[in-house]
Amino acid sequence: MQDYEDGMRACFDASKIWMQVPAPKRGEIVRQIGEALRNKLQHLGRLVSLEMGKILPEGIGEVQEIVDMCDYAVGLSRQLNGSIIPSERPNHMMMEMWNPLGVVGVITAFNFPCAVLGWNACIALVCGNCVVWKGAPTTPLITVAMTEVVAGVLEKNNLPGAIFTSFCGGAEIGQAIARDTRIPLVSFTGSSKVGLMVQQTVSERFGKCLLELSGNNAIIVMDDADIQLAVRSILFAAVGTAGQRCTTCRRLLLHETVYQTVLDQLVGVYKQVKIGDPLEKGTLLGPLHTTVSKENFVKGIQAIKSQGGKILAGGSVIESEGNFVQPTIVEISSDAPVVKEELFGPVLYVMKFQTLKEAIEINNSVPQGLSSSIFTRKPEIIFKWIGPHGSDCGIVNVNIPTNGAEIGGAFGGEKATGGGREAGSDSWKQYMRRSTCTINYGSELPLAQGINFG
Amino acid sequence: MQDYEDGMRACFDASKIWMQVPAPKRGEIVRQIGEALRNKLQHLGRLVSLEMGKILPEGIGEVQEIVDMCDYAVGLSRQLNGSIIPSERPNHMMMEMWNPLGVVGVITAFNFPCAVLGWNACIALVCGNCVVWKGAPTTPLITVAMTEVVAGVLEKNNLPGAIFTSFCGGAEIGQAIARDTRIPLVSFTGSSKVGLMVQQTVSERFGKCLLELSGNNAIIVMDDADIQLAVRSILFAAVGTAGQRCTTCRRLLLHETVYQTVLDQLVGVYKQVKIGDPLEKGTLLGPLHTTVSKENFVKGIQAIKSQGGKILAGGSVIESEGNFVQPTIVEISSDAPVVKEELFGPVLYVMKFQTLKEAIEINNSVPQGLSSSIFTRKPEIIFKWIGPHGSDCGIVNVNIPTNGAEIGGAFGGEKATGGGREAGSDSWKQYMRRSTCTINYGSELPLAQGINFG
Amino acid sequence: MQDYEDGMRACFDASKIWMQVPAPKRGEIVRQIGEALRNKLQHLGRLVSLEMGKILPEGIGEVQEIVDMCDYAVGLSRQLNGSIIPSERPNHMMMEMWNPLGVVGVITAFNFPCAVLGWNACIALVCGNCVVWKGAPTTPLITVAMTEVVAGVLEKNNLPGAIFTSFCGGAEIGQAIARDTRIPLVSFTGSSKVGLMVQQTVSERFGKCLLELSGNNAIIVMDDADIQLAVRSILFAAVGTAGQRCTTCRRLLLHETVYQTVLDQLVGVYKQVKIGDPLEKGTLLGPLHTTVSKENFVKGIQAIKSQGGKILAGGSVIESEGNFVQPTIVEISSDAPVVKEELFGPVLYVMKFQTLKEAIEINNSVPQGLSSSIFTRKPEIIFKWIGPHGSDCGIVNVNIPTNGAEIGGAFGGEKATGGGREAGSDSWKQYMRRSTCTINYGSELPLAQGINFG
Amino acid sequence: MQDYEDGMRACFDASKIWMQVPAPKRGEIVRQIGEALRNKLQHLGRLVSLEMGKILPEGIGEVQEIVDMCDYAVGLSRQLNGSIIPSERPNHMMMEMWNPLGVVGVITAFNFPCAVLGWNACIALVCGNCVVWKGAPTTPLITVAMTEVVAGVLEKNNLPGAIFTSFCGGAEIGQAIARDTRIPLVSFTGSSKVGLMVQQTVSERFGKCLLELSGNNAIIVMDDADIQLAVRSILFAAVGTAGQRCTTCRRLLLHETVYQTVLDQLVGVYKQVKIGDPLEKGTLLGPLHTTVSKENFVKGIQAIKSQGGKILAGGSVIESEGNFVQPTIVEISSDAPVVKEELFGPVLYVMKFQTLKEAIEINNSVPQGLSSSIFTRKPEIIFKWIGPHGSDCGIVNVNIPTNGAEIGGAFGGEKATGGGREAGSDSWKQYMRRSTCTINYGSELPLAQGINFG
């Protein structure tokens, strides 16, 4: 922990310098980071695949996402706009200013060993904050590789490397970050359970949290859906990244009239999924990340069975050297306790419904609120789905999978998903502190609400 | 607590209806509430003075603030805008939608027995939420009066009265609100200590909080300040509302060159403050709100003395029927423990400094971060003060007092003040849930980041 | 014209005072104007009907629209926000400020003798501008009535009545406004022909125009449309206000598969339209505004016939005391010259099409670009219609008529409609001047783009 | 002109393709253009210097500005946001959509032979428009060089080169663009006189203009100003680019108390300005652009003398091979006719004033309204200067020169400067067409303003 203290102190000191650099100049640094990453796209993508286990196109896609974020953040560096608000008092100027926070702590998970860092760091940096990053203990190589790229750019620009400080450690580093009063904002990505602990610890010292926690995401297929589009989407959403995305589709709600058709096609498609080396061309399903992940899968399948679930496809681990498991489809009641939890693997729960109202109720009946999707072509359903009585999630899709977000929109979810928003829209505001400033440049003292005092 | 359950259930049911009413129609209801309050401005203002103890102009000003908020919220009801964000995928429409939360819990304090409700309720209502309000146990009359006004408007429009539900109870109602999973957002105004408890309770069920907690607000007087303007401002900021505003000035930082001048003038002015019946014309200082408040004042003065504080003016309770105390000026070191706490009464700590840097460090050295003000005419100081190395508060003023905010700006503070923002700017976003919606209206399935899957 | 000069001079002088009043205080004046109008809603609505000829519900609706605008503008008065933009130079503050223009000229037409004034004046006033209004020469009573209401409020608030100055004259007043260099912005509503003259005159003195000119608005009915909804909408859009709205539907494009069905229903409905006294309950069609309007109708019908148009319903004037004409349906080719022009009366041109592409091409083939509407339930059509290759109009509707806009959205059109936008969204920016301000509060002189000079 | 027709037709055809490309993908193309320019920064900067005559640091700065614009536009490509506006009608969705215009015409001037193109083209392209560019007839090399860079990027991405089409011709090309109905927006940079002709021509066909016309920019030096900072700024503002910037300082208003001091220092500094080869290190003043420019200088000096101007420094052409003239300071009355005009060379008019009010009146007394600057340290002056009664220009600076704008702020001016805004803020809106869309997804037909029809 001396390492932590040394690193953190350097980072804190660097924050005094970094927040003085004008935002567009900070943007220029982030642009150079983007260029450096773009130049190593293939290399870093392979490293992600190797270390995390996701297939190569997804590994490269993850690095591409940081590159996109850098480009986006460069533009943002000239648009971190405050406001000038009309004052009711003569000779007064009212403004909303945005200033850097200082140091932002970023704790990421194994499943996106670098993209989630990218969302946070690109924005945190242009906003004028230094970053303290704790990557997952099981993906140290990518943590080191990313850190080197950023350090190289900082060095070339004669800026302290401590502006971007990273640690590869485990829970004790996470706890240190959560407790550290020098870190006004902690961005945490992980399970709802750990996220809540982080939140409580950070709250106790009146710090702020940005939480991206568990998802339990449903796809609803209506009777008028384009079935082919739906099946392709479900496959990507449920099997992609071996079901280890926070936006993985875990629940499939099928209208009774299309129930059997969709299910038959899906089971057929599942059988053709190529499982194997994630670096090999054509592979769709790589191994789970660790032995523990595999054990959780096994325990999950047992629980499913004991709660009345019926395995329609897959359901077993694959005997081999890696942590391979079969992509699995389970028919189960929406009331079964397992359905309320996030089983981090390629397991899809299928349920039947009769009306839109019922489907939305099931969609909203879990503690988590990250992503959701409906397949339909009817405007009255689409607009109901995205309206006040529709999905209660942070991501509400139509005719696309639950996963695969673009960086321009805000990413995150409600309820046990933690309420944070990263990447696009006005997410940058979370990385800054807001102040309402009123300047009296006259010589009188008029009071708001027309109050007369003294 | 059966009352709570009955009221809450009715409110929850009403929320299904209210969120269906189009926002501009909700605005029309809030407009009518504003009109009803405007018609009773004097009457309600007197009631606030009588029950809370603040002087009449402040009592009326408090009701005027709700009227202003209603007018503001009416305009807002046509501007709760979502966004349409360019999608990187052809035939895709990406949108950020804002939907109502359902029910918003509002817990307010005795010192602003109705204005703080006004901030929350006006915005919560146009945003499509029902409101459950717990007023302070010591201001039941104003709670009842406000509720009747709103109920009258709802009834006239054939809307369920439960859209606005209020309780006069104590801590047990507050706890019930904090625990209630039907209330996605709890807005709490009060002490940092209780606020933290509310926050932890609400977090445990993954609800959201909007906290307006303790302040410990400083005014800095630079050597070039307009002394007369400063003295008048300090008086209003330190003595107004008998020092029982969250934005009350509690710390006065004087540049050494003006230290004695300002202090002399201030002590002179303090002696002329008319203390007495808050309804009487000319009174500047009414009684403290309760006997407990008076006891806290006495205990505070003892602590001050024991920690080396020197009483320059006041320092005693006034023997009379009410809870009257003298407006008090104390010379004390910025390191004294009492200076870090919020003593809810008309007690002002005075300190000396030599440089701007030192003054800002003292300003930022307390746990709270609500309001702050500097008196100067130098642009380089003004812009430093509102910049990254300036005040760390949510309200950062120049040449005006720490208190007396306009409704157009966001109101709230950082650190132990809780981080919430009410009233103006984009505060309304806290009263809604955000969803990022992507609609695929084509027949292809392009993936973000150009990923190819299957 | 001495009257003009006197009025204008007073208005110009008043502008020095009015622009000093803080925006929220200006909002309070506009709120009072709204209240005064609300109190006279029925009375003023009747006056509009009497003088202009529109049916009573529309007369009242027109006054209601100003009341809505007042409410909206009150909220806006605290949200005329400028921006603080991150500067690339240290110790520099970059801001975008919005200041009043001074005097805004508003020239309105007979068909909305007060609502269009309301759009312009409510926003112009909160933005800090005085208003010079020229109402239509044929609606002097409503001009006088409106002026009195506003004057009453100004007087009650001890403000110069010249803040709102009106004239009842004809073209010579319009020309004087167009030429007057004391009027930086002229908002003109009327025909494309006159609008162009105004634009050229105002441009010559480098003033700005806000133009709301002719419309030639189409409704498209797709093969999957809700026919009943479409027919009701067409009736309101084509016959409402006797076809004298700028958003009146003048062209009906029917998909070949529903052509006959829609046409049959429409002809049936047209026969039942109650024509007569606009103040009488149940009347849907009042008289045209003037004898000239009636003559133009007659000339229009002649031109239609000579260009191959086939009258399917109506087509004649009604012999009576007023300027009554029959609601008329004409089958005609989209290439006929009359179809490219705006015939200001209840004449609807019907055309057949086969594909969406063809329908959009016809929609976009006229010089005007105000409003347009499609009836369909297919998302792929809806989003294409509102996208880059869809309607080229300023108002693009789905499953509602071409007319009947809400005040929250920007109102106006492209091409020969003039390009101006009134009412909602960021229309207020047109009523202010923008300045980009950069304040150097340091003592160095860094240059943008890193240039080194000297 | 067959060339024009061929090029324009190809461009118009390409616009159908380009507007279909999703905005973030268009951003990626602009990013690549930025990279290509960055790689040739020195080379292109030298070319600008050689062909236009400005000194090398300014030549490079000009190219850097386009690179900055590209970076900025990339970020913007994910933020060209429309709005979702609350509708007053149930089951209605109201939106403001932004769609491309098609083809944007850009006519630029010799003094910024490529930066002004960069402002327009970067934004026009990400907004989905093709660009038709007419560079200055006297800077064909840079026109060709820029075109090749862009063409290279388009080709590499398999996009039609005609997306960016350029012409080197003279007035006849400009007129063709102004008249061409396929070009909905013409952005023109040049003199007020020609700009007005363009405006009138484009208006006649109901097209839109974005005008950046003449400036006549003043610097005001108050009695409390930092004289050294002021003098350095005046030098850069008046002599930089040989006085051939639209933002060049042409008028210097000195408070009587500092009049002589500033003037003495300025005359001293002017004598040391190194005149000569713009590519040579240390040169501050290169030649005027053409012989005609030199002749205009001579005529200008004659007019100055005949109107009572007194030459304090310079005033002559320099006998040599190039079009070199002396940097010139003239003492003259603010009423002299020459002072109202833009003399495009390094000639500075100096005037004396006594009060701020007088200085602002002089500042605002010319037909043009581009840039302006004040030197002072008093907040009451600063905020008055940027407020409703301050400078009437589009650029309003404090303690910096009139020239040297950052790309993040909107660039442009009022009055005879034409009113257009390029580069930052919401300038992108000028390059798109706005539509207010209302979608009824229900089955009822409620009307706005609560109107009942039929």
Side-chain angles (χ1 to χ4, degrees), chain A residues 351-406:
Chain A
M351 300 149 217
K352 195 185 292 184
F353 69 88
Q354 292 178 305
T355 64
L356 174 65
K357 190 160 177 284
E358 192 191 344
I360 291 175
E361 275 169 11
I362 298 175
N363 180 77
N364 294 355
S365 69
V366 296
Q368 306 84 353
L370 181 51
S371 185
S372 57
S373 184
I374 202 167
F375 282 76
T376 183
R377 293 282 172 194
K378 295 190 182 153
E380 63 270 31
I381 293 180
I382 293 174
F383 288 106
K384 178 147 211 186
W385 171 242
I386 68 178
H389 290 298
S391 167
D392 65 0
C393 292
I395 298 174
V396 182
N397 289 334
V398 179
N399 297 328
I400 60 166
T402 47
N403 55 342
E406 295 187 27

Side-chain angles (χ1 to χ4, degrees), chain D residues 58 82 115 127 143 242 248 275 318 409 443 449:
Chain D
E58 292 193 70
C127 287
T143 302
T248 289
I275 307 171
I318 296 171
S443 43
Q449 291 91 47

